[in-house]
Amino acid sequence: DAGVTQSPTHLIKTRGQQVTLRCSPKSGHDTVSWYQQALGQGPQFIFQYYEEEERQRGNFPDRFSGHQFPNYSSELNVNALLLGDSALYLCASSFTSDTQYFGPGTRLTVL
Amino acid sequence: GEDVEQSLFLSVREGDSSVINCTYTDSSSTYLYWYKQEPGAGLQLLTYIFSNMDMKQDQRLTVLLNKKDKHLSLRIADTQTGDSAIYFCAETYLNSGNTPLVFGKGTRLSVIA
């Protein structure tokens, strides 16, 4: 049984560009949450998707958007990239009333 | 408000016990978690405890919860070099795995052989 998978592993972009990160949840999970982990910090909650809708959102600007597909996989989009968006982006999946399990993350570097 | 605090560094000798501490402020927290992160990797769930429990043991791991002081600790018995990593304490403030996790900044555990 595959766990949570994310792609790509690493990504380098320049300021002002747009990026899309992808996540496939663990089998049987229906909820996907995205977190941003800056260097030396703990993960910060971006948003959560359930039944293809954004259910909760953390303190992130509208440049951060997402989508969930009928197969429960999810995308995180970031527009107008800033240097400060450089971070490890973590996806976590869960099933109702279950614990969140994390993927390996996507390392985004903005130059 | 929600805030999770951890000490940043801990160094122990191989074979000793490690104790990693965490304090939280949200009095409505119901689930408290410990995650492990190795260099360049994602988060691995180690264990969790419900706020109506005082202690949970899982092989080499023991979690202690003091609800009065809002203090959580993780004890690793017989610490090995493979335990070297960053350990994150996290809380959720509703009784569901579908609520956001609030993390501390992590404690970097270094195990000296």
Side-chain angles (χ1 to χ4, degrees):
Chain A
D1 174 29
V4 181
T5 60
Q6 292 186 242
S7 64
T9 306
H10 296 89
L11 205 50
I12 299 174
K13 292 285 187 178
T14 57
R15 281 177 294 175
Q17 285 190 310
Q18 178 264 344
V19 68
T20 297
L21 310 181
R22 296 177 176 81
C23 171
S24 291
K26 189 175 165 65
S27 178
H29 287 184
D30 58 5
T31 302
V32 173
S33 301
W34 286 92
Y35 293 80
Q36 180 196 65
Q37 185 180 17
L39 198 61
Q41 302 294 316
Q44 298 286 318
F45 174 71
I46 303 174
F47 44 52
Q48 183 181 86
Y49 277 85
Y50 173 70
E51 291 189 342
E52 301 180 51
E53 291 194 358
E54 183 183 293
R55 181 158 68 175
Q56 298 187 64
R57 189 178 184 92
N59 189 25
F60 278 81
D62 293 344
R63 297 186 298 108
F64 289 77
S65 63
H67 188 77
Q68 186 178 34
F69 299 93
N71 66 353
Y72 307 117
S73 67
S74 177
E75 289 182 349
L76 163 66
N77 300 293
V78 187
N79 294 323
L81 284 166
L82 303 174
L83 295 179
D85 295 331
S86 294
L88 180 68
Y89 287 85
L90 294 162
C91 167
S93 75
S94 59
F95 181 71
T96 304
S97 299
D98 201 356
T99 303
Q100 295 182 33
Y101 292 86
F102 284 80
T106 294
R107 172 78 59 190
L108 172 65
T109 302
V110 182
L111 301 177
Chain B
E2 311 142 19
D3 196 13
V4 178
E5 301 272 347
Q6 299 179 241
S7 52
L8 295 182
F9 300 99
L10 177 65
S11 181
V12 300
R13 292 191 182 279
E14 189 175 22
D16 288 351
S17 292
S18 307
V19 179
I20 302 171
N21 295 301
C22 167
T23 58
Y24 60 97
T25 57
D26 195 321
S27 60
S28 59
S29 294
T30 55
Y31 284 61
L32 293 145
Y33 299 82
W34 286 103
Y35 285 87
K36 175 184 180 183
Q37 186 174 40
E38 299 187 47
L43 300 180
Q44 174 194 352
L45 176 66
L46 289 178
T47 187
Y48 60 92
I49 190 168
F50 300 164
S51 57
N52 62 357
M53 298 170 64
D54 297 323
M55 186 184 85
K56 181 179 180 181
Q57 187 156 3
D58 183 1
Q59 300 182 329
R60 292 191 298 123
L61 304 179
T62 302
V63 179
L64 295 177
L65 177 60
N66 181 328
K67 290 184 286 293
K68 174 177 174 289
D69 294 336
K70 296 189 177 66
H71 182 267
L72 182 74
S73 67
L74 173 69
R75 178 178 179 268
I76 305 172
D78 187 25
T79 311
Q80 302 298 306
T81 54
D83 295 323
S84 293
I86 300 176
Y87 291 79
F88 289 96
C89 169
E91 63 174 356
T92 59
Y93 55 94
L94 288 174
N95 189 17
S96 166
N98 291 327
T99 56
L101 291 163
V102 178
F103 287 86
K105 291 187 176 181
T107 299
R108 183 180 296 275
L109 174 64
S110 297
V111 182
I112 305 164

